[in-house]
Amino acid sequence: MGVLGALGTINRNTSLAGKVATFVFLLGIGGAGEVMLVYRDRGPWYAENGVDLAILGWMVGASLAVAVLIGALLARVHPRRRLRLGASAGVGLALCLVMTGIRWFFPAPTVAGANAAFEVGDVGAAESELVAAEARGADPLETAALRARIRAKYEARAAQSPKRQTDDERMLASLGEFSLKTDTNTVLERRWENPDNQALAQARVLRRAQAQLDAAWLERDAFALRRIAAQTQGLDPAFTRACELRGMFAEAESCLQRENLPCVAEGLKLITAKQAEGAEGEADPPALPLELAALFDDFETAASTLPSADAETDS
């Protein structure tokens, strides 16, 4: 007769024996769970690669055997039957305890097993088994050698893995992908962790803007010059002012080529006002290039030689 059948027989013969046996069995299940947790708490290797479920099963079997044994002692049955039940339960209990002890100590973590895991590339499993083997008193020389190999492997992986970019680095890398206005907003409005990186970004945007300014100035493109000044507003007052002045000069030069005296006069007035504004509003305004100063003189000379608007009106 099986153990469960024996427990059923005890329960039918006496309610007291059945209740006690059931209580002992349930208590034993709780104890089996605790034993399994103790086994797992020995280290990560035992939790990941051990036989905790087997230990739980054998401990539940031991609890059942104890319940049958206690029930047999309390049951009102024939002495021979009580003896058979007790003997069967005792054998079952001994078997469960022996198997629990075997599973508790075998399989066991070893340095050889950790080496094998390391060789197949499972560094995490190798480190876990090595820690467990050290706790069991493995050879210090062997463990030290393997630990050095594991550390070297981790360092090699760290060196090969791409470095994670910071927010500053990502913003620096994005400069030049969009318009000057977007780059200017990135420099002025985004949050920079390092002020030096923000200064570097500002310098890069100014270099890009300067290249566009030089190209627009060669073409005397007044519209492009004004656009560059607007897109870089707030980035560098001296640069913005230089863009605006060049735009005014280009516009005035275009008026001069068309012999539009009022337009030239208005342009000269705006240029003079902008120069005065820079002298007052900037601590160190940038000097105009010599070619701009010469061009300014040409405008004045040309304007003085053209017939004035008043003369035309009088005639």
Side-chain angles (χ1 to χ4, degrees):
M1 182 181 295
V3 177
L4 292 176
L7 187 59
T9 300
I10 295 172
N11 189 48
R12 287 193 299 272
N13 277 275
T14 173
S15 61
L16 176 62
K19 291 178 180 179
V20 172
T22 301
F23 175 76
V24 170
F25 179 58
L26 295 176
L27 190 64
I29 291 178
E34 290 295 328
V35 172
M36 183 190 71
L37 292 178
V38 170
Y39 177 84
R40 291 172 63 90
D41 288 343
R42 297 169 72 186
W45 183 88
Y46 294 95
E48 298 169 3
N49 305 290
V51 287
D52 49 347
L53 294 179
I55 288 178
L56 176 64
W58 286 113
M59 287 301 298
V60 170
S63 301
L64 185 59
V66 171
V68 171
L69 182 60
I70 293 177
L73 295 176
L74 296 177
R76 288 177 295 184
V77 296
H78 193 278
R80 289 185 178 178
R81 186 173 181 78
R82 179 182 292 111
L83 180 61
R84 287 198 300 271
L85 289 173
S88 298
V91 172
L93 176 61
L95 176 63
C96 290
L97 293 178
V98 169
M99 291 305 299
T100 299
I102 292 174
R103 287 301 189 180
W104 188 272
F105 294 103
F106 300 98
T110 61
V111 178
N115 268 307
F118 182 83
E119 292 299 333
V120 298
D122 195 346
V123 183
E127 185 177 27
S128 176
E129 186 164 358
L130 179 62
V131 171
E134 284 181 310
R136 287 174 53 85
D139 187 343
L141 295 178
E142 293 182 354
T143 58
L146 180 55
R147 186 169 296 283
R149 295 175 64 193
I150 291 174
R151 186 182 302 110
K153 189 71 172 180
Y154 279 134
E155 291 175 353
R157 286 182 178 179
Q160 294 174 358
S161 61
K163 182 183 177 182
R164 182 180 178 183
Q165 281 189 322
T166 64
D167 290 341
D168 282 12
E169 290 171 337
R170 283 192 290 272
M171 288 190 289
L172 284 170
S174 71
L175 295 178
E177 295 180 358
F178 304 102
S179 67
L180 271 178
K181 181 62 176 176
T182 300
D183 285 353
T184 300
N185 290 339
T186 298
V187 174
L188 299 179
E189 298 180 7
R190 297 291 293 275
R191 181 179 178 275
W192 292 83
E193 298 175 0
N194 188 339
D196 292 340
N197 289 333
Q198 185 177 20
L200 176 60
Q202 181 182 17
R204 289 183 180 179
V205 177
L206 284 173
R207 281 198 299 270
R208 180 188 178 195
Q210 184 65 53
Q212 295 186 14
L213 170 63
D214 293 341
W217 176 243
L218 287 176
E219 298 294 329
R220 294 300 192 267
D221 189 339
F223 176 78
L225 290 166
R226 287 195 298 268
R227 185 187 68 243
I228 295 170
Q231 290 182 339
T232 57
Q233 193 72 37
L235 192 64
D236 184 347
F239 178 82
T240 301
R241 177 171 170 274
C243 289
E244 293 172 344
L245 279 171
R246 283 170 171 77
M248 293 173 185
F249 272 111
E251 184 68 28
E253 185 178 45
S254 175
C255 291
L256 184 62
Q257 291 173 353
R258 299 193 307 269
E259 297 185 352
N260 187 341
L261 180 60
C263 178
V264 175
E266 182 65 23
L268 291 175
K269 184 189 298 182
L270 292 176
I271 292 170
T272 302
K274 178 59 65 175
Q275 288 176 319
E277 173 188 322
E280 296 175 1
E282 295 179 10
D284 186 18
L288 288 175
L290 294 178
E291 61 178 355
L292 293 182
L295 187 57
F296 182 79
D297 293 338
D298 291 343
F299 284 160
E300 289 184 325
T301 302
S304 65
T305 59
L306 288 175
S308 65
D310 293 339
E312 293 180 356
T313 302
D314 294 339
S315 62

